[in-house]
Amino acid sequence: MSAPILATLGCRLNAYESAAMKELAVAAGMTNAVIVNTCAVTAEAVRKARQEIRRLARENPGAPIIVTGCAAQTEPETFAAMPEVARVIGNHEKMQPAIWAGLTVADLIGTTEKIMVDDILSVRETAGHLIDGFGRHRAYVQVQNGCDHRCTFCIIPYGRGNSRSVPAGVVVEQIKRLVGKGFAEVVLTGVDLTSWGADLPGAPRLGDLVARILRLVPDLARLRISSIDSIEADENLLQAIATEPRLMPHLHLSLQHGDDLILKRMKRRHSRDDAIRFCETARTLRPGIVFGADIIAGFPTETEAMFANSLRLVEECGLTFLHVFPFSPRHGTPAARMPQLKGPAIRERAARLRALGDARLLAHLAAEVGQTRRILTEGPRIGRTEYFTEVAFAEDQPEGTLLERRILGHGSTQLLA
C-alpha cells in the first residue's frame, strides 16, 4: 500500500476532513493503514460504518484500521470492541498533526490504548486544517464546525462539539489561493453554517463573510453556500442573495418537518410559516432561486395529518431537491425516549416524500429546457448549472471550465445539453 486508504461516510464536511487527514497521515509517513471516517447522523449510519470496517479488513489483511469521525466520537467503545480496529480517534484529535505523527504502524499493532477520544464539547478553537483544493473543480472551504443547538433527534453536537468559526481573514486568504489555482467555484461549508461568527470578535454574521469574500476576491466566479438554517439568515445574507450575481441561486435548507407541533418536539427554532416566509422572501429577492431541504419522515408521535403538513410544505416552499431521512432513534437523544412509530410506517412515509421530491425535480428539469445556463464542468460529460442542477453533455467538454449552453432536454435526474 503506497498511501493510506481512506473511506469516508456521511456528509460533505466529512469528505473535506478526509482530504485533510490524508495529507496529515502522508506527512507523518503513514503508508500501511486504512482510515475510516464515520458518520453518526442515524443508527443506520453507524451500522454501515461497522459493515464498511469489516469489508475493508477483509480486503486489506494485515493493514491496521483507524476509525474516526462522528460515530467514533459519540460511541468509541462500539468500535474499539471490534477486533478489526487498531485505534479509535476523536473528531478533534483527527485534525492534529502530532496525533498522526505518533501513530506509527508499530504502535498500531501493539497493545497500547485503543481509544484516543477527548471531550469534544471542551474544544474552543477551530481546527487548523484548511486545505487547498478539495474537489477537482469545485473547492469546499470549511468556515465553521460544531453546533450550539440541541435538537431532540440530533447526536451531532456530541460528535462535533460547540460552534467554532474560522476568522474571515483566514477564509478570504484561502479562497484567494484556491482561485489562484484555477478553481472557478467555492462552496462554504460547516455543521451549522448560519451560526458562523457568533464566537468571533464583534460577532459578525454569515452575510458579512459572504460580502467580504465577494468584495476581496473579485476573480472568484461563483460562490455557493451549503446547508443553512433559514431562521438564522441575516439581513446582509439576504442582501447578497438579492444583489450578488456571483452568489449562486441555490440554497439547501435545514427544515426537518412541516408540522408546528413536531417542530416544537424536535426543538427546532422555526415554525412552518417561518419556512414558507423565508422561501417567499428569497424568491422575491432572487426570482428563480432553487431550494433543497432536509426533511425527516416518521418522527416520534407523528400522525398522518402531521406528515401531510410536511408534504404540503414541499409545495408551499417550492422545494426542488429533497434529502429525506427516515427517522432513526439515536441513543442518548431525547427523541429516542419519545413514543416511536413502527418501522413500516416510517419507511412508507419516507417513500412518499421521496416520490414527491422526484416529481418536484422532474418539474424543475422540464422548466429548464430551452434556457441558456452557465455550467461548471466537473468531468468530460458532466457539470452543474448555477442552480446546482446536474447536466449531461452529448460530447466531451474541457473540465473545470464555465460554459454557456442551451438546455436541450432532460432525463429523470439530469438536464441534457
Side-chain angles (χ1 to χ4, degrees):
M1 210 183 295
S2 58
I5 292 174
L6 229 150
T8 305
L9 298 102
C11 65
R12 180 65 65 175
L13 188 55
N14 252 16
Y16 179 100
E17 291 175 343
S18 286
M21 271 193 292
K22 189 166 188 178
E23 288 186 359
L24 293 172
V26 170
M30 182 175 291
T31 58
N32 185 41
V34 175
I35 304 166
V36 184
N37 199 8
T38 63
C39 173
V41 70
T42 64
E44 176 67 8
V46 177
R47 187 193 69 79
K48 285 183 177 178
R50 291 167 56 83
Q51 186 180 55
E52 181 73 356
I53 290 164
R54 288 189 287 265
R55 182 187 70 79
L56 288 165
R58 290 193 300 270
E59 293 179 359
N60 301 278
I65 294 180
I66 302 166
V67 180
T68 186
C70 290
Q73 180 71 44
T74 56
E75 44 187 288
E77 293 83 4
T78 295
F79 298 98
M82 297 180 69
E84 298 89 349
V85 174
R87 193 65 57 87
V88 181
I89 300 177
N91 259 341
H92 180 58
E93 288 77 11
K94 75 181 183 184
M95 292 293 114
Q96 307 304 312
I99 293 292
W100 294 99
L103 286 178
T104 66
V105 171
D107 287 338
L108 291 169
I109 295 173
T111 58
T112 53
E113 178 62 45
K114 288 181 77 170
I115 296 176
M116 301 174 68
V117 179
D118 286 337
D119 178 15
I120 195 77
L121 293 174
S122 68
V123 177
R124 292 292 176 263
E125 76 278 9
T126 49
H129 60 273
L130 296 180
I131 58 173
D132 290 348
F134 166 59
R136 290 177 61 197
H137 308 300
R138 174 182 294 106
Y140 292 83
V141 176
Q142 181 184 350
V143 303
Q144 183 274 338
N145 202 346
C147 184
D148 291 338
H149 310 303
R150 297 295 182 264
C151 298
T152 60
F153 56 84
C154 188
I155 198 74
I156 297 306
Y158 305 99
R160 289 282 178 181
N162 292 313
S163 182
R164 290 102 65 201
S165 308
V166 179
V170 176
V171 175
V172 168
E173 288 306 309
Q174 189 196 13
I175 293 175
K176 285 180 178 178
R177 290 197 302 272
L178 291 165
V179 171
K181 290 186 173 187
F183 285 93
E185 181 174 305
V186 166
V187 185
L188 304 182
T189 68
V191 174
D192 181 28
L193 196 57
T194 35
S195 71
W196 178 88
D199 57 323
L200 296 177
R205 303 293 299 276
L206 180 61
D208 301 319
L209 178 63
V210 167
R212 185 168 178 175
I213 292 167
L214 292 170
R215 184 177 72 253
L216 297 180
V217 195
D219 293 333
L220 174 62
R222 303 200 333 186
L223 179 65
R224 201 177 287 280
I225 299 173
S226 62
S227 181
I228 67 167
D229 198 340
S230 58
I231 198 68
E232 290 185 326
D234 61 279
E235 285 301 318
N236 284 344
L237 181 58
L238 292 173
Q239 179 71 9
I241 290 170
T243 62
E244 293 284 1
R246 290 185 293 149
L247 180 61
M248 293 296 95
H250 165 259
L251 293 174
H252 190 86
L253 309 176
S254 179
L255 297 183
Q256 309 304 348
H257 211 275
D259 184 83
D260 282 337
L261 183 55
I262 292 294
L263 287 168
K264 286 182 179 179
R265 288 172 178 166
M266 288 179 165
K267 209 175 179 182
R268 300 293 293 167
R269 288 159 299 123
H270 70 272
S271 67
R272 75 175 281 112
D273 284 348
D274 290 330
I276 295 166
R277 191 179 307 113
F278 174 82
C279 292
E280 289 174 345
T281 299
R283 196 170 281 114
T284 299
L285 295 171
R286 190 77 172 267
I289 191 170
V290 169
F291 301 107
D294 296 329
I295 300 184
I296 295 173
F299 188 82
T301 76
E302 180 190 76
T303 64
E304 181 61 33
M306 292 170 172
F307 174 70
N309 282 333
S310 283
L311 294 174
R312 281 196 292 273
L313 186 74
V314 173
E315 304 286 353
E316 291 169 355
C317 285
L319 305 179
T320 295
F321 304 103
L322 291 194
H323 193 181
V324 177
F325 292 89
F327 177 77
S328 175
R330 298 297 287 114
H331 179 71
T333 63
R337 301 190 295 272
M338 297 178 185
Q340 305 291 309
L341 273 65
K342 300 293 186 184
I346 295 173
R347 291 189 291 272
E348 189 269 340
R349 289 177 184 175
R352 285 159 63 191
L353 262 176
R354 290 189 180 112
L356 178 57
D358 292 343
R360 294 289 307 177
L361 176 58
L362 205 58
H364 167 69
L365 297 175
E368 287 289 281
V369 176
Q371 302 293 327
T372 298
R373 296 300 181 213
R374 202 171 186 216
I375 302 162
L376 175 64
T377 57
E378 300 175 342
R381 297 202 176 195
I382 202 76
R384 288 189 187 268
T385 71
E386 306 95 315
Y387 303 101
F388 209 62
T389 313
E390 194 170 79
V391 182
F393 299 106
E395 299 177 349
D396 285 358
Q397 308 293 332
E399 293 187 40
T401 58
L402 287 166
L403 305 173
E404 283 202 357
R405 291 290 186 272
R406 187 169 181 270
I407 304 302
L408 303 176
H410 68 85
S412 59
T413 60
Q414 293 177 320
L415 298 171
L416 306 174

